[in-house]
Amino acid sequence: MKNLDSTKRNFVWLLVAMLLGAGTYTAWWISSPKPSTNNTSIPSTTAGSSLSNITLSEVDKEGKPLWEIQAGRAEYNQDRRMAIVYKVKGKFFRSGKPTIEAVGERGTVDQTKREITIEGSVKAIALKDKITLTANRLVWLADGDLLTATGNVKAEKPADKIAIVGKKLTAYPSTNRFKIEKEVVATVAKPPLRLESALMTWDANLNKVSSVVPFRVVHLKEKVRIRADKGEWSIKENLVTLAGNVKGRAFDRDLDIISPALVWDISKQIVNLPATLRVVSITRGVELNANQGRVDLGKQQINLD
């Protein structure tokens, strides 16, 4: 940022006085060096408030950090109470502890809305579970436990080889919950699964992915596809639970199973059907009805009751 002349320095001090005089507990700072040989930073005027080199931040009433933004360059619009920042590095906190770090090409800090936006090749990480996020745009609301990301969103947990892509993500960092919307596809390497829906919720604490709208699971190795009105995938237990108009199809076996509920133990290759069901094979001209059943994909056996 270029050195400030005398007029601009007076403007910065006026801005600081206005912020401090408003009686708010928000501690903002916009940093730029003074026009001196040693580039000494403008000193703090009260505890918890300071100006330093292209850094903006905010603390709560107890002095704990809420967020911190570092930038290669920053511009402040007094009328709009907004800072425009470039080459952005952001850090967001909960109860004084960092929860998410993010970088991007540019962004804004809106003092009125208490909203931070980062745009352009955004990369972020949820620190607790090492979940990475890429997106075109990220928005953090300082007053709430809420982060949103839009445009070619991808959330990934490399340790579990799980990735979820979609067009919009809503995250609740304190609870480690991520809601992904629009053309959502989740994949996992082992077992080779693909989950598709218009909306999925990833609970990283419970290690589960769920959907309350039509949901499809494809086992790429077994060539099995199952759809339902809603479903849940327990990553830790490797268990898929589906409900509502469940229809499963084994492509290379010409076999359709229709039931209101299904539980798929992927590790054991067992599909349990706890409710009434119908089994159909068009090429064999077979249709069977039963009160409940069990499918062993490994042995290619069906037991009906």
Side-chain angles (χ1 to χ4, degrees):
M1 183 178 289
K2 296 181 180 179
N3 289 340
L4 299 174
D5 57 24
S6 177
T7 302
K8 290 183 178 178
R9 289 201 305 275
N10 291 337
F11 165 76
V12 172
W13 280 111
L14 176 61
L15 171 61
V16 175
M18 289 172 64
L19 291 174
L20 296 176
T24 178
Y25 62 85
T26 301
W28 293 73
W29 59 85
I30 303 173
S31 56
S32 58
K34 295 170 71 175
S36 61
T37 55
N38 58 10
N39 284 333
T40 303
S41 299
I42 298 174
S44 302
T45 55
T46 63
S49 301
S50 66
L51 295 173
S52 61
N53 189 28
I54 317 178
T55 297
L56 299 90
S57 72
E58 183 178 355
V59 298
D60 62 16
K61 292 180 180 179
E62 298 176 353
K64 295 179 180 179
L66 292 173
W67 55 266
E68 178 182 286
I69 296 291
Q70 297 179 350
R73 183 165 62 93
E75 302 170 357
Y76 186 79
N77 186 310
Q78 183 182 18
D79 294 334
R80 297 174 62 191
R81 292 171 57 84
M82 178 182 292
I84 302 173
V85 290
Y86 303 90
K87 294 184 180 179
V88 187
K89 291 183 179 180
K91 187 179 290 187
F92 307 102
F93 299 80
R94 192 70 178 175
S95 301
K97 297 180 180 179
T99 58
I100 291 178
E101 294 180 353
V103 298
E105 296 174 359
R106 59 194 174 277
T108 59
V109 179
D110 192 318
Q111 203 174 342
T112 303
K113 295 181 180 178
R114 293 168 54 79
E115 177 182 279
I116 299 167
T117 301
I118 300 177
E119 296 181 281
S121 303
V122 177
K123 296 181 180 179
I125 181 169
L127 299 172
K128 182 179 179 181
D129 287 285
K130 306 300 181 184
I131 294 173
T132 61
L133 170 68
T134 58
N136 295 346
R137 187 172 188 264
L138 180 149
V139 179
W140 170 270
L141 294 176
D143 287 334
D145 181 34
L146 183 64
L147 179 145
T148 60
T150 53
N152 300 316
V153 174
K154 183 177 182 180
E156 190 171 11
K157 190 175 183 181
D160 293 337
K161 297 182 179 179
I162 297 170
I164 304 180
V165 299
K167 298 300 182 183
K168 180 181 178 181
L169 177 141
T170 305
Y172 308 89
S174 67
T175 58
N176 259 4
R177 292 177 67 245
F178 305 84
K179 183 174 71 174
I180 304 99
E181 302 175 65
K182 300 180 181 179
E183 301 175 20
V184 184
V185 176
T187 57
V188 61
K190 187 177 181 181
L193 289 182
R194 178 183 174 94
L195 293 81
E196 303 169 356
S197 183
L199 169 67
M200 289 187 198
T201 300
W202 182 3
D203 190 319
N205 287 338
L206 298 178
N207 217 11
K208 290 182 178 181
V209 175
S210 61
S211 178
V212 294
V213 299
F215 182 86
R216 184 166 71 171
V217 184
V218 181
H219 195 304
L220 302 175
K221 183 178 179 180
E222 296 293 338
K223 297 181 180 179
V224 172
R225 181 181 67 193
I226 305 175
R227 62 86 53 210
D229 290 343
K230 59 182 179 179
E232 179 183 273
W233 169 35
S234 174
I235 301 167
K236 182 178 180 180
E237 297 174 352
N238 220 358
L239 202 68
V240 174
T241 303
L242 302 176
N245 297 310
V246 179
K247 184 176 182 179
R249 180 170 179 80
F251 290 98
D252 58 353
R253 302 178 184 91
D254 179 34
L255 191 68
D256 290 331
I257 298 175
I258 300 133
S259 178
L262 178 151
V263 180
W264 184 4
D265 190 322
I266 298 171
S267 298
K268 296 179 179 178
Q269 294 185 293
I270 298 295
V271 177
N272 288 305
L273 300 149
T276 57
L277 67 129
R278 187 160 57 100
V279 180
V280 179
S281 176
I282 296 175
T283 58
R284 299 181 182 90
V286 174
E287 181 173 333
L288 302 173
N289 294 280
N291 292 322
Q292 58 184 9
R294 184 174 183 269
V295 180
D296 189 323
L297 295 173
K299 296 179 180 179
Q300 298 190 27
Q301 292 179 350
I302 300 176
N303 297 318
L304 302 177
D305 297 327

